[in-house]
Amino acid sequence: MRKIILLLCLVLLFSCKSKKNSSTSAVKVPEKATNLVKPEEVEAIKKDRAYDVGIRLLESCNTSKFKNFSSAEATDKVRQNATREKISAICKKINQRNGRFININLIDITRNKKTDELLFRYNINYEKKLFKRELFVTVNPENKVSAISTKEVPAKPL
């Protein structure tokens, strides 16, 4: 019986690994790939492009008339995805849930350090205040919109 207890103690002792002291080892903190940018630091053409494209897209939900983006305004991918049919279907869902579009307000601007793209995040104001939505517009270094999307923001519990 003593031999079994001794054997178990030895197994337990050898199975425990010593931990390295974290203060002696160098810890690398990964650098963020994005950072917030002040609106004053962003070129006016980029701010205007993001705002104008966002307003034009959301206004089309009120008027049911969508003017296609030009090659100077948006990348080919965005222009191919922004068809009247797709926008109409999305607007129908959003209008039923949120009512008519009123305006957008800039929340923040984020710069992607790797691609040098700017992500503009806007709060979308609608008639109905039941559901909160945000608009995301990405502008590339060539001053073209390279992505545009909207999403519903979940309500925060009290």
Side-chain angles (χ1 to χ4, degrees):
M1 183 71 172
R2 285 185 175 178
K3 289 183 181 181
I4 294 175
I5 294 174
L6 182 62
L7 183 62
L8 287 174
C9 289
L10 286 174
V11 169
L12 182 64
L13 180 67
F14 287 116
S15 66
C16 295
K17 296 181 181 178
S18 64
K19 295 181 181 180
K20 292 182 180 178
N21 189 354
S22 62
S23 64
T24 59
S25 62
V27 177
K28 280 191 174 182
V29 177
E31 190 176 322
K32 288 185 178 180
T34 62
N35 63 327
L36 285 176
V37 179
K38 294 179 183 176
E40 305 85 47
E41 297 173 1
V42 177
E43 299 172 41
I45 189 170
K46 291 182 190 263
K47 289 189 284 190
D48 293 344
R49 177 66 41 90
Y51 182 81
D52 293 341
V53 167
I55 287 287
R56 191 163 92 201
L57 184 69
L58 294 169
E59 274 292 328
S60 68
C61 290
N62 290 348
T63 62
S64 299
K65 295 177 184 174
F66 175 68
K67 181 183 170 196
N68 290 333
F69 299 128
S70 70
S71 58
E73 292 176 312
T75 61
D76 291 336
K77 184 179 177 183
V78 171
R79 292 183 347 184
Q80 289 171 357
N81 287 332
T83 63
R84 289 177 193 229
E85 295 79 21
K86 287 182 181 180
I87 292 172
S88 176
I90 293 168
C91 284
K92 186 176 180 182
K93 290 177 188 176
I94 291 175
N95 284 347
Q96 286 176 348
R97 196 164 166 91
N98 298 78
R100 293 180 57 82
F101 164 71
I102 298 172
N103 201 1
I104 58 176
N105 300 322
L106 182 65
I107 298 172
D108 61 28
I109 303 171
T110 308
R111 181 182 304 277
N112 184 328
K113 291 180 183 177
K114 292 179 183 176
T115 61
D116 201 31
E117 291 181 326
L118 293 172
L119 175 67
F120 294 83
R121 186 168 66 118
Y122 294 96
N123 179 42
I124 307 173
N125 298 315
Y126 288 102
E127 279 180 328
K128 299 177 187 176
K129 305 290 183 195
L130 300 174
F131 304 100
K132 184 178 175 184
R133 291 192 77 80
E134 290 182 354
L135 174 71
F136 299 90
V137 180
T138 305
V139 178
N140 67 16
E142 299 161 0
N143 298 330
K144 292 183 180 182
V145 174
S146 59
I148 188 164
S149 66
T150 179
K151 76 172 191 172
E152 190 171 301
V153 179
K156 294 180 182 177
L158 296 175

